[in-house]
Amino acid sequence: MTYAVDPKVFINDVEYSAETINGVTLTNGRETVDEQPRAGYAAITLVTPDNTYPNIEIDYRVVVQVDNSAGTPVTLWTGWVSDVETTLGAFGATGFLNQQRITAVGSLSKLNRRLAGGSGYAKEFDGDRVYDIIYETAGETWASYDPAETWAAVNPLLTWQTADLLIGVIDRPGDFELTDYAAAENSGLTLAQQAAASGLGILYESPDGKISYDDYTSRTDDVSLNGFTDIDSDAILAAGLSSVSRLSDLANEVEIVYKNNQTEIDSNAASIALYGLYSTKINTTLENALDAEQRVDYYLDTRAFPRRQLNQITLALHLDQVANLMRDAMLPMRISKPIRITALPDSIYPGAFAGFVEGYTWTLNRNELFLTLNVSEYGFSQLEMNWLQVPPALTWAGVDATLEWQEARVVA
């Protein structure tokens, strides 16, 4: 059966169906594992062929959906209108053609415009710190509600846990202890990103528009529990598929700054002898010296030598040759989703790729649905290999005979 995209855009709960949707681009997440995500972005074009146009105002809520293979709507992105531009494509004897270009931004943009940290934060783990910051800046309070609103207008199924429109799943307490933060107001987004980066976690927007935080071990835990989602080669657009090795990614001397400007530093002599000295200094809010030492080892293990990395991968999910099972697995796309590709050309990536989604872009219209993924290797999301992280079905026959423990960071 032919798959139908059937896109829908809801703006302030008003539905705009395929007949008026001329094009939609949605972004979420980050480009590389070395940065924290910025606010998501949507560009939506609506067309009306008469002397009417949608009444769309700034800060209206935006939800974009498409159908899965069974015809059930799936939410791809949620955000808020930031810009509305109306243009006239035709007028007069030729008829009317109104076009509205709507720009919307994700929930992290709201965090960026709110201050936090005025009372400081005690020493705590990264997940708890992120939660404190987000709750301070995005949590619902009594003052958030219209004083004229009555209980009759409140959803009877609402709970305190679901009342917060912006707060999603926050991994708590986290994996790394952070030092105390002295009272000083700053952007909530800046403080939350600092905490997330120090914890090697990721702060992101889920498709329903909530701000969530995955701590460092959540990815390997996810793989242990649920495994990888396999991407069929039939869905991958070959044109433009590429990989890259960058000198800018090289770091063979690493200095980590932690509590009270203390530092831990180490280097890789073999890499320096081969490439020369490439130093990097990373500021954190870590509390403990052992964590700072481990962080140095992590960066040297993953960056002392060049690594071939996949660039963006684009999937054409509207094509009939794409299996429904795989299409439906991709539609509820999320940051940190474990994926695996086993059929890449050796010229692009030798062997199977196993890793995680760092960011993604949806591009869709009435009949087409493309998904572009920014990915990172599995090894960038673990500090060290242990037996519990090896898939139980793996046999020695599937292990490279030259593999050593210090290099065992990618498990396909």
Side-chain angles (χ1 to χ4, degrees), residues 17 39 63 81 88 126 154 168 196 201-202 212-214 216 300 336 370:
S17 59
V63 178
V81 173
L88 201 60
D126 54 288
V154 177
I202 181 169
S212 297
Y213 176 70
D214 289 349
Y216 187 74
L300 288 176
S336 297
F370 297 96

Side-chain angles (χ1 to χ4, degrees), residues 79-131:
W80 284 264
V81 173
S82 63
D83 300 83
V84 180
E85 178 186 1
T86 303
T87 59
L88 201 60
F91 173 70
T94 59
F96 284 94
L97 183 63
N98 287 303
Q99 189 173 77
Q100 280 193 310
R101 295 185 179 90
I102 298 134
T103 302
V105 291
S107 306
L108 289 176
S109 64
K110 291 184 177 290
L111 208 62
N112 190 44
R113 301 296 294 272
R114 300 176 184 179
L115 297 177
S119 300
Y121 302 106
K123 179 176 65 175
E124 57 188 340
F125 279 80
D126 54 288
D128 288 337
R129 176 70 55 82
V130 169
Y131 177 84

Side-chain angles (χ1 to χ4, degrees), residues 28-38 108 126-127 130 134 169-171 175 192-193 195-206 211-219 334-337 356-360 374 376 381:
N28 197 4
R30 59 188 179 182
E31 294 183 3
T32 72
V33 73
D34 291 320
E35 60 188 11
Q36 286 294 315
R38 299 177 293 273
L108 289 176
D126 54 288
V130 169
I134 293 177
V169 177
I170 311 294
D171 286 343
D175 296 315
Q193 287 179 332
S198 294
L200 282 181
I202 181 169
L203 183 75
Y204 65 96
E205 301 155 347
S206 55
I211 300 171
S212 297
Y213 176 70
D214 289 349
D215 65 21
Y216 187 74
T217 54
S218 66
R219 292 186 170 189
R334 58 180 173 85
I335 303 300
S336 297
K337 186 179 183 70
F356 300 93
V357 174
E358 302 296 344
Y360 54 88
N374 301 323
S376 67
S381 294

Side-chain angles (χ1 to χ4, degrees), residues 383-403:
L383 290 169
E384 54 199 16
M385 194 70 176
N386 61 56
W387 288 114
L388 293 176
Q389 294 168 341
V390 178
L394 183 68
T395 65
W396 287 115
V399 178
D400 189 332
T402 64
L403 188 66

Side-chain angles (χ1 to χ4, degrees), residues 320-339:
D320 289 341
Q321 60 262 38
V322 175
N324 288 340
L325 185 66
M326 199 213 78
R327 179 188 295 113
D328 292 346
M330 292 292 107
L331 285 182
M333 180 50 62
R334 58 180 173 85
I335 303 300
S336 297
K337 186 179 183 70
I339 63 166

